[in-house]
Amino acid sequence: MSDLERITARRNELDVLADELAKRLQEVEVEREELGIAERILLRLAEQDRADTEAAGGGGPNESAGGGACGAADPTPR
């Protein structure tokens, strides 16, 4: 195989590799964008949940309507 043929073959290999890498890079960029969107949504939901909790008086998950020591779920006779 002549030098010219080896160079041409190598250039062809590199062209194929460059095409594969370009496609892979595009896939990576799309996935990164999707993950960025998901991250922003989760942050907004967390902020909204925090704001809702603060607006409701700061009650935690154990405080619910009708529950507690005097609520309807208390089986102790009065």
Side-chain angles (χ1 to χ4, degrees), residues 7-61:
I7 291 171
T8 302
R10 182 61 180 152
R11 283 181 52 89
N12 289 336
E13 291 173 3
L14 293 175
D15 288 344
V16 169
L17 181 59
D19 288 343
E20 292 171 1
L21 290 173
K23 289 176 186 175
R24 182 68 180 134
L25 179 59
Q26 184 178 10
E27 292 170 359
V28 167
E29 289 172 344
V30 167
E31 185 174 351
R32 288 184 73 224
E33 181 64 25
E34 290 171 348
L35 290 173
I37 292 168
E39 184 178 30
R40 288 191 299 272
I41 290 170
L42 287 176
L43 288 172
R44 286 181 189 167
L45 289 173
E47 289 172 8
Q48 184 62 46
D49 186 47
R50 196 169 27 256
D52 291 347
T53 300
E54 290 173 2

Side-chain angles (χ1 to χ4, degrees), residues 1-9:
M1 182 181 273
S2 73
D3 289 339
L4 180 58
E5 290 172 328
R6 281 195 300 268
I7 291 171
T8 302

